[in-house]
């Protein structure tokens, strides 16, 4: 019995040592960064910028893998179930903090099932409509929506997506319910907006800036409390009368629970190198986003932020009475 106990202990110690050695040599092969939304959308855009920037400090390619689903709930589940070896990581946005209140049967727990790596950036959102939407400014937009509430369609990336949160708060603020059309990401939603199949959506500047600047979509407002430097002429919803309206999206990186600390530290260090990179800063700025300060790009800061955001959004969502399931 005694000998058996010693045997198990030494096997465990041996495994831990092997794990430690593996963590020291990490990474020895490419790393998958899972995006829970469609390719070409705002989360995907941030993933591709960061994947490229982190490739150099890690010395291995960071490959973006899209696992799109409405609400972005499949990607986190997949990463939760991946081997905790640092070769599968997740990029996600505010949805990590809002989905627990929206889904009663969510198959992952944002805090318990993941190791936080660090925060990446903050991204404001914009209220945009198809190019031929019959309203030249927000006042006309509101009047049109009120007069046509049964036929105006609002696109989003499913319940739990940032576009859903923003739309839900917007509809609450103007006291009108509209027909929602869910997609597996706002890249396909944008395609339909450009094609005129849906009327409007609220989406990150990382997906809308190019279309706004080329005049392919109409922009009525930004959702942040302050105007966005890359879209200086666009008013905030707060300025337009929806007092206190302030929705900002943040992105962050996570690994499956149990990923060795030495691996998480290497990923966090690569994340920090990435957001220090001038090319990354410029790309984010052009798209209306801003990299977080360096001291936020680490596990402790993300863990604290995630808790704060869960505590902030949970009650707001419960009050709104929205459930996905
Ligand atoms: N911006 C989308 C949303 O959360 C997700 C995406 O397609 O990246 O609504």
């Amino acid at each position: 019995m005694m000998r058996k106990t010693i045997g198990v202990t030494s096997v465990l110690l041996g495994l831990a040592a092997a794990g430690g050695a593996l963590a020291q040599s990490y990474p020895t092969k490419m790393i998958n960064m899972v995006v829970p939304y469609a390719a070409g959308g705002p989360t995907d855009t941030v993933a591709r910028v960061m994947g490229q920037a982190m490739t150099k400090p890690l010395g291995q390619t960071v490959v973006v893998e899209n696992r799109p689903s409405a609400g972005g709930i499949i990607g986190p589940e997949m990463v939760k179930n991946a081997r905790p070896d640092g070769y599968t990581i997740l990029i996600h946005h505010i949805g990590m903090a809002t989905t627990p209140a929206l889904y009663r049967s969510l198959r992952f727990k944002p805090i318990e099932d993941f190791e936080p790596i660090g925060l990446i950036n903050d991204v404001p959102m914009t209220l945009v409509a198809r190019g031929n939407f019959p309203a030249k400014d927000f006042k006309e937009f509101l009047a049109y929506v009120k007069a046509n509430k049964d036929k105006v369609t609002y696109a989003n990336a499913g319940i739990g997506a940032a576009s859903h949160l923003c739309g839900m708060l917007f509809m609450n603020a103007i006291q009108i319910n509209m027909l929602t059309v869910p997609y597996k990401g706002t890249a396909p939603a944008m395609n339909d907006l450009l094609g005129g199949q849906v009327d409007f959506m609220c989406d990150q500047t990382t997906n809308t800036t190019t279309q706004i600047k080329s005049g392919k979509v109409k922009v009525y407002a930004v959702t942040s409390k302050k105007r966005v430097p890359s879209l200086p002429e666009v008013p905030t919803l707060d300025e337009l009368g929806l007092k206190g309206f302030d929705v900002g999206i943040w992105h962050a990186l996570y690994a499956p629970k149990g990923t060795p600390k030495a691996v998480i530290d290497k990923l966090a260090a690569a994340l920090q190198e990435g957001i220090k990179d001038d090319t990354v800063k410029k790309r984010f700025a052009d798209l209306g986003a801003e990299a977080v300060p360096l001291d936020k790009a680490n596990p402790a800061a993300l863990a604290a932020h995630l808790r704060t955001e869960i505590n902030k959004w949970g009650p707001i969502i419960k009050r709104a009475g929205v459930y996905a399931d």
Side-chain angles (χ1 to χ4, degrees), residues 2-283:
M2 182 73 166
R3 277 181 55 195
K4 204 168 177 185
T5 311
I6 290 168
V8 170
T9 310
S10 22
V11 168
L12 286 178
L13 285 174
L15 281 177
L22 282 180
Q24 290 316 317
S25 57
Y26 172 88
T28 55
K29 58 178 185 183
M30 74 179 202
I31 296 156
N32 270 7
M33 188 188 284
V34 174
V35 175
Y37 292 108
T43 314
D44 180 73
T45 299
V46 176
R48 282 169 205 275
V49 170
M50 288 315 296
Q52 203 178 4
M54 288 170 69
T55 288
K56 199 169 162 210
L58 286 168
Q60 291 289 340
T61 311
V62 180
V63 178
V64 171
E65 184 183 346
N66 298 86
R67 287 288 175 133
S69 70
I73 55 170
I74 301 294
E77 190 187 337
M78 186 208 150
V79 174
K80 167 196 157 179
N81 294 325
R83 281 172 75 111
D85 56 7
Y87 293 102
T88 307
I89 59 173
L90 172 73
I91 181 168
H92 206 336
H93 60 25
I94 193 170
M96 273 302 247
T98 56
T99 41
L102 288 161
Y103 287 80
R104 282 168 284 210
S105 59
L106 201 62
R107 290 202 292 261
F108 63 89
K109 294 195 177 81
I111 293 176
E112 293 86 338
D113 294 335
F114 298 91
E115 304 289 350
I117 298 171
L119 286 156
I120 303 171
N121 64 5
D122 291 302
V123 192
M125 301 189 90
T126 44
L127 194 64
V128 290
R130 61 184 157 84
N132 56 357
F133 195 77
K136 70 171 183 324
D137 55 25
F138 183 69
K139 204 168 156 223
E140 284 189 18
F141 174 81
L142 215 50
Y144 185 90
V145 160
K146 282 187 178 161
N148 297 278
K149 56 176 180 287
D150 296 330
K151 59 175 210 242
V152 173
T153 49
Y154 151 57
N156 69 18
I159 295 186
S163 47
H164 161 257
L165 176 72
C166 181
M168 179 188 82
L169 295 173
F170 178 64
M171 288 194 279
N172 252 0
I174 63 170
Q175 293 290 297
I176 292 178
N177 251 331
M178 277 167 271
L179 190 63
T180 338
V181 186
Y183 293 81
K184 289 184 179 177
T186 40
M190 177 59 90
N191 282 343
D192 276 8
L193 197 72
L194 292 170
Q197 285 93 337
V198 283
D199 291 323
F200 83 97
M201 74 171 166
C202 183
D203 199 24
Q204 285 102 304
T205 52
T206 31
N207 197 30
T208 59
T209 303
T210 312
Q211 313 296 357
I212 291 170
K213 291 203 161 157
S214 65
K216 290 190 177 143
V217 297
K218 283 188 174 162
V219 62
Y220 296 112
V222 294
T223 64
S224 44
K225 201 71 182 282
K226 284 201 208 124
R227 289 196 182 203
V228 177
S230 57
L231 296 168
E233 67 293 348
V234 184
T236 67
L237 281 172
D238 181 85
E239 278 173 56
L240 292 166
L242 302 187
K243 287 291 162 219
F245 200 101
D246 185 14
V247 183
I249 302 312
W250 48 273
H251 292 90
L253 292 178
Y254 308 81
K257 193 82 190 173
T259 305
K261 183 174 178 306
V263 169
I264 298 291
D265 288 346
K266 283 189 183 171
L267 286 163
L271 165 63
Q272 288 156 18
E273 286 304 311
I275 63 173
K276 272 199 289 195
D277 189 323
D278 285 339
T279 328
V280 170
K281 281 194 189 144
K282 163 106 181 45
R283 182 94 178 99

